[in-house]
Amino acid sequence: MEQKMEAVLHTYGNLLYRTGMMMLGNTQDVEDVIQEVMLKYMQKAPAFSDAEHEKAWLLRVTVNLCKDMLRFRGRHRYFPIDELELGDDDGKDAESRELLEEIAMLPQTYKIVLLLHYVEGYSLKEIAAILALSENAVKKRMQRAKAALRKKLEA
């Protein structure tokens, strides 16, 4: 079981960390959430049809635990963008960093759809499944997020 957990963390750890950072904004909370996700993974030992199903399950549990933490602590704090570990292909130039900072300041419902779509590459249908929303709700959130981001960047 220990080897399986290490393999899961090696494969999906960065994805779960980035998702948690976008939602919670601090390393300690994200580490707590990832630990909780792995605990649920061990306890439930779900059977997955393929790697994408496993990835979606892990993301969904991560998002739900982050929402629970936000609700419990009643806080929406500033996002320390310097702690976000971007992969090599994500780009680290000033423009990308500025865009990420603006995304991080958007409301929670907007930034998670932007993260999952543009950073992680999920389709709107996949995002709807992960967040337990209708596809139309995801489309609307995406439209509103883009409009809010455009407005912030123009200002």
Side-chain angles (χ1 to χ4, degrees):
M1 184 58 135
E2 187 177 330
Q3 289 177 339
K4 181 163 178 77
M5 297 302 290
E6 285 179 22
V8 168
L9 277 174
H10 178 72
T11 305
Y12 303 112
N14 286 336
L15 168 65
L16 300 179
Y17 181 83
R18 286 192 309 258
T19 302
M21 282 302 294
M22 279 303 243
M23 293 185 72
L24 299 174
N26 95 35
T27 304
Q28 294 80 14
D29 288 346
V30 173
E31 289 171 355
D32 288 346
V33 165
I34 291 174
Q35 187 174 18
E36 187 84 22
V37 168
M38 298 315 292
L39 185 63
K40 286 185 182 291
Y41 187 87
M42 283 180 9
Q43 289 173 339
K44 300 208 183 275
F48 300 110
S49 55
D50 58 20
E52 279 300 312
H53 182 214
E54 180 178 42
K55 183 178 177 181
W57 186 90
L58 289 166
L59 266 174
R60 183 176 185 121
V61 171
T62 300
V63 167
N64 287 340
L65 288 172
C66 288
K67 285 180 181 178
D68 290 347
M69 186 173 281
L70 287 170
R71 226 174 289 133
F72 176 76
R73 297 199 178 154
R75 65 169 169 75
H76 296 275
R77 295 188 329 185
Y78 172 74
F79 177 77
I81 198 75
D82 293 336
E83 292 186 20
L84 181 64
E85 294 179 12
L86 298 172
D88 294 335
D89 60 339
D90 290 332
K92 291 190 177 188
D93 61 344
E95 190 174 305
S96 294
R97 185 164 294 287
E98 180 184 347
L99 183 60
L100 277 175
E101 287 173 352
E102 292 299 330
I103 290 171
M105 299 308 288
L106 290 174
Q108 188 65 37
T109 55
Y110 296 165
K111 67 182 169 185
I112 193 64
V113 294
L114 289 174
L115 170 78
L116 291 174
H117 185 68
Y118 291 109
V119 177
E120 300 304 332
Y122 282 99
S123 70
L124 297 180
K125 185 176 183 178
E126 292 169 326
I127 295 170
I130 291 167
L131 299 178
L133 297 169
S134 70
E135 198 170 340
N136 285 335
V138 173
K139 285 179 187 176
K140 195 60 164 173
R141 285 185 184 186
M142 187 70 75
Q143 286 175 344
R144 290 178 178 161
K146 287 178 183 178
L149 192 58
R150 193 175 304 116
K151 186 177 179 181
K152 286 182 104 173
L153 292 174
E154 287 173 356

